[in-house]
Amino acid sequence: MHDPEDAGFENEAFDPDDVVWVHGVDYVAGWRGAADAGPELADALAAAGFDTTGLEWRAKASADGSGAVRLVISAAAAHDLAAVVRAVARLGKVS
């Protein structure tokens, strides 16, 4: 059965960390942090002039409870983002 929430991620390989839960690990806090970080990143990309029309992101919690954001952007946007990151690296600072 196809889950519409997984649209765009159907080619991902099975990851045991996605199904293994350890008693006592706060997965909700990790997911919540990732759920907050995804839109923050999307807003920052938009503010930098990136076309975020096709941007996809999904929050998840890793096996250790830490949050993670899966991001999908177009190849053109990835090239643009790489150029911006290189320019910031040359400045030697990130705010």
Side-chain angles (χ1 to χ4, degrees):
M1 173 178 243
H2 178 69
D3 183 357
E5 184 175 293
D6 290 335
F9 294 96
E10 47 287 310
N11 291 328
E12 291 183 26
F14 175 74
D15 183 355
D17 288 342
D18 285 342
V19 295
V20 175
W21 291 61
V22 177
H23 180 72
V25 174
D26 187 359
Y27 295 101
V28 174
W31 178 88
R32 188 178 300 122
D36 291 341
E40 181 180 353
L41 179 58
D43 289 346
L45 290 172
F50 288 94
D51 179 9
T52 58
T53 304
L55 180 131
E56 298 176 30
W57 67 271
R58 181 171 52 169
K60 68 173 262 179
S62 298
D64 66 357
S66 62
V69 177
R70 291 185 181 181
L71 177 68
V72 177
I73 59 176
S74 70
H79 288 293
D80 292 344
L81 182 57
V84 170
V85 171
R86 282 189 202 99
V88 170
R90 283 192 294 273
L91 294 174
K93 61 181 177 180
V94 175
S95 56

